[in-house]
Amino acid sequence: TPAVLDIARQQLEQSTDWQHGGFGQAPKFPHPGNIERLLRHWAGSGKTDEKALKAATFTLRKMAEGGVNEQLGGGFCRYSVDNYWMITHFEKMLYDNGPLLALYSQAWAVTGEPLFKQITEETAEWTMREMQSPEGGYYSSLDADSEGEEGKFYSWTREEVSQLLEKHEYDLFSQRYGLDKSPNFEGKWYPHVFADWNELSEKHGVSVTEAGEVLRRARKKLFTDREKRVRPGRDDKVLTSGNALMIKGMAIAARHEDSEDLGKLYTESATRALDFIRSQLWKDGRLLATYKDGKVHLNAYLDDYVFLIDGILELLQARWRREDLEFAIQLLDVVLEQFEDREAGGFYFTANDHEDLIFRPKPFSDDALPSGNGVAASVCIRLGHLTGEQRFMTAAEQTLKSAWDDITQFPHGHNALLLALEQYLYPGQNIILRGEKDQINEWQQLCGQGYTPDRFVLAIPEDQSDLPGALVNYKVQGQAVAYICEGFECQPPVLNKDELEARL
C-alpha cells in the first residue's frame, strides 16, 4: 500500500521542470498539492529525501521571484503563460493564495530561507489589505483588467520608474527587475526577478543587506504611486470554500511566524473570517456557499464543509476556542449525514437534499482545489483520533477503499487522498496540553518548532471543562501537563518541559 506514496513522489520528480520550477510546461499553474506532497514525503523519509525537498523549494523559489508573485504588492496570480513564471494571467484568486501562504510559511520553517519568510508576510499582508472585508470575510478575487486592459495596473514604462526613484535606486531596481532588458509585456515592463542579490552586490559595490534596503524603499515608492491608478475590479462575493482555505493558510502562517505581533495579526484575521462565516453562512444547522451584499444563498457543497473543518482544526492550533471545535464536529456530522455514500463509501459533492442531478458526482482527484473526498477523509481521521469517535474513522476508511482504484491508477493526481492515506497508515502525534495559559502556550511553541505536519497540538487552558468526546479524559494536574498520543494509543502524561522535548 505505501508504494503509491513512493510512486506519486517519483511521478512528481519526473514532471518537475528543473530549469524553471513547476510541473510540466506552460501554461503553468502553482499546483500547491504537488508541492505539499513533496514536502511531506521529505518529512516522512526522516528528512533524508533531499531530491523531494529540492523539487519543492526550487519551485517555490522560482514562483516567488517570478511575475506570478506580484512583486510590488504581494499576492499570487492565477497562472503563468510562459515557462519562466514571468507573464501571468493577472487575475488573483483567494483560493490559490490560501494554500500558497501555508506552503511558503512551511518552507520557511523547513529551510530558514529569508525569501520564504518575506513571501509569507507579503502574501498575508496583501490578503488583509485587499481581500478582507470590514465584516471579516475574505473576497473571492481581483480581476486581471483595469480600464479595459489586462495587466495595465501592474506594468510600467522606464520613464515612470525613473521619475519616481533616485538614480542609485533606479540602477538597482532596473537590474533586479529587468528594466535594463527589452520590454517583457506589450511594450512595457512587468517586474520579474532577473538578477540575484550577489550579482547586484558585485555590480553596484554594496552589501547584499544594503541592496535589499534600497530595493525595499524603491518598491515602496512605486507601490505608493501605483495606488493612484485605476484599480482592477474585485469580486466581492464571500465564498465559504475560499475563505476556509485562507483561514487555514493564515493559521499555519501564524504558527510559524517568529514575530509575535504578526502571528497575532494573522490569527485575528483568520478568526474574523471564521466568525463571519459562522454568523452569516451557518443557518439552521446547515452551511451556505456564498454571501454578497448581505444576501446568502446556495446550499454548501462538500468542499465548503470539509475545507472549513480543515481550516478550523489549523486555527485551533494557533489559539484554542472550545466553540470552534464543537462547530467543526457539528459540520462533520452534517457531512456524514448528508454527503456520505453509505453503500460504496466516499462522499458526494452535493447533499442528499440538493436538487436532483442527472449524475451526482463523487470526485476523488485534485483539480485547482484539493479533492473534497481527500480533505473529508483527512478531517475524519484527525477528529476521529481527537474525539475517539469510531464512526469518523470508519467513514475515512470507506472513502480510501472507494477511491483506491483511482488512486493506484494515477497517484500524483490524488494528493489530498494520499495525505489521508498517510494519516491513516502512520498516525502522527496528537498532543493535548493542559494547565496555566502562559505555560502551556510556551510548551505549544516548543511543540510547533520546525516542520512537523503530522503533529497536531492543542493548548487547552485549565479553566476549560466539558470538553467534547475523548478530550474529557485529558485532565488538569495542578501544573502544565502534556498528553501525547499516536492514533488511539497514549503515553503516560508528561509533567516537565525537558521530558516533553525528549518525547518530541
Side-chain angles (χ1 to χ4, degrees), residues 188-428:
K188 294 184 177 182
W189 283 264
Y190 175 60
H192 168 93
V193 173
F194 284 92
D196 67 28
W197 294 109
N198 291 328
E199 289 176 69
L200 294 173
S201 174
E202 285 175 26
K203 181 171 180 180
H204 297 277
V206 295
S207 70
V208 167
T209 304
E210 286 173 306
E213 285 301 320
V214 171
L215 281 169
R216 261 190 288 278
R217 284 200 305 273
R219 289 168 65 217
K220 189 172 181 181
K221 287 179 182 179
L222 295 177
F223 174 80
T224 302
D225 188 76
R226 196 181 72 181
E227 288 293 278
K228 301 170 189 171
R229 297 179 180 180
V230 176
R231 301 185 62 80
R234 181 169 61 198
D235 183 347
D236 59 2
K237 285 195 298 294
V238 175
L239 300 179
T240 300
S241 59
N243 272 253
L245 291 168
M246 184 53 77
I247 288 167
K248 178 178 181 177
M250 281 286 183
I252 290 173
R255 295 209 309 276
H256 292 306
E257 178 55 59
D258 56 5
S259 158
E260 190 176 335
D261 289 343
L262 285 179
K264 282 182 180 173
L265 205 61
Y266 303 163
T267 302
E268 286 165 7
S269 174
T271 299
R272 287 178 59 222
L274 175 59
D275 289 347
F276 178 85
I277 289 175
R278 191 163 185 188
S279 67
Q280 299 297 326
L281 288 146
W282 175 246
K283 305 286 183 187
D284 303 319
R286 296 293 290 278
L287 202 56
L288 294 161
T290 181
Y291 169 100
K292 181 174 167 60
D293 300 332
K295 294 176 183 170
V296 293
H297 69 125
L298 300 182
N299 291 330
Y301 302 95
L302 176 65
D303 288 4
D304 297 300
Y305 279 92
V306 297
F307 291 1
L308 186 56
I309 298 166
D310 199 25
I312 290 170
L313 290 172
E314 294 295 348
L315 187 52
L316 281 166
Q317 295 186 83
R319 59 101 188 95
W320 166 258
R321 280 199 328 195
R322 186 178 67 191
E323 62 267 31
D324 291 345
L325 180 58
E326 290 168 346
F327 185 35
I329 294 167
Q330 279 181 290
L331 290 166
L332 191 51
D333 283 338
V334 177
V335 171
L336 265 58
E337 181 186 318
Q338 290 288 334
F339 293 85
E340 189 178 15
D341 179 349
R342 297 201 177 132
E343 293 178 11
F347 297 91
Y348 294 111
F349 187 65
T350 56
N352 291 338
D353 56 2
H354 196 87
E355 64 183 278
D356 286 343
L357 303 173
I358 295 171
F359 169 70
R360 193 178 176 198
K362 196 204 296 185
F364 290 133
S365 63
D366 303 320
D367 197 7
L369 301 177
S371 149
N373 268 277
V375 178
S378 279
V379 298
C380 279
I381 291 166
R382 186 157 268 181
L383 276 172
H385 286 148
L386 202 59
T387 64
E389 288 275 6
Q390 187 56 48
R391 62 200 173 95
F392 296 161
M393 300 300 296
T394 302
E397 186 176 314
Q398 293 303 111
T399 302
L400 291 168
K401 286 180 178 175
S402 179
W404 190 244
D405 285 347
D406 292 60
I407 295 171
T408 52
Q409 285 173 27
F410 188 43
H412 78 305
H414 296 82
N415 290 314
L417 277 159
L418 291 180
L419 168 56
L421 176 67
E422 200 171 45
Q423 290 172 317
Y424 182 76
L425 293 174
Y426 314 112

Side-chain angles (χ1 to χ4, degrees), residues 58 69 71 79 97 128 194 300 319 440 466 491:
F58 180 67
N69 170 42
Q71 295 291 324
Y79 62 87
N97 281 276
M128 294 184 290
F194 284 92
R319 59 101 188 95
I440 59 172
D466 300 324
Q491 302 172 15

Side-chain angles (χ1 to χ4, degrees), residues 11-161:
Q11 289 172 329
L12 290 172
E13 181 186 331
Q14 288 160 11
S15 66
T16 296
D17 177 347
W18 288 101
Q19 189 173 1
H20 304 296
F23 305 92
Q25 301 301 303
K28 277 188 173 170
F29 290 82
H31 294 299
N34 290 357
I35 302 169
E36 182 185 23
R37 174 94 309 266
L38 287 165
L39 284 177
R40 282 183 170 270
H41 200 97
W42 169 77
S45 72
K47 303 184 178 178
T48 60
D49 188 348
E50 291 297 324
K51 198 81 181 278
L53 177 61
K54 185 179 178 184
T57 54
F58 180 67
T59 288
L60 289 170
R61 198 174 297 115
K62 288 295 186 181
M63 288 197 303
E65 294 178 341
V68 74
N69 170 42
E70 199 271 290
Q71 295 291 324
L72 296 185
F76 284 84
C77 301
R78 194 152 173 248
Y79 62 87
S80 169
V81 301
D82 52 56
N83 283 327
Y84 320 108
W85 301 106
M86 187 191 305
I87 302 303
T88 76
H89 177 60
F90 290 87
E91 192 176 23
K92 294 182 186 177
M93 313 298 293
L94 184 73
Y95 66 65
D96 288 323
N97 281 276
L100 288 169
L101 174 60
L103 279 172
Y104 276 96
S105 68
Q106 289 167 330
W108 152 247
V110 170
T111 65
E113 190 172 321
L115 173 65
F116 296 148
K117 179 178 169 62
Q118 174 194 331
I119 301 305
T120 300
E121 293 176 357
E122 289 175 359
T123 307
E125 184 184 343
W126 167 78
T127 303
M128 294 184 290
R129 182 184 68 237
E130 298 192 25
M131 301 303 285
Q132 190 156 28
S133 71
E135 298 81 20
Y138 298 114
Y139 300 126
S140 295
S141 64
L142 294 182
D143 293 346
D145 302 3
S146 55
E147 301 181 81
E149 290 182 35
E150 183 170 346
K152 182 173 183 179
F153 182 78
Y154 300 106
S155 54
W156 297 83
T157 65
R158 282 177 176 152
E159 292 70 31
E160 287 171 328
V161 177

Side-chain angles (χ1 to χ4, degrees), residues 168-184:
H168 72 290
E169 292 173 335
Y170 179 84
D171 289 346
L172 275 165
F173 186 91
S174 64
Q175 188 185 352
R176 174 78 168 163
Y177 293 110
L179 272 71
D180 60 347
K181 296 174 173 54
S182 300
N184 65 351

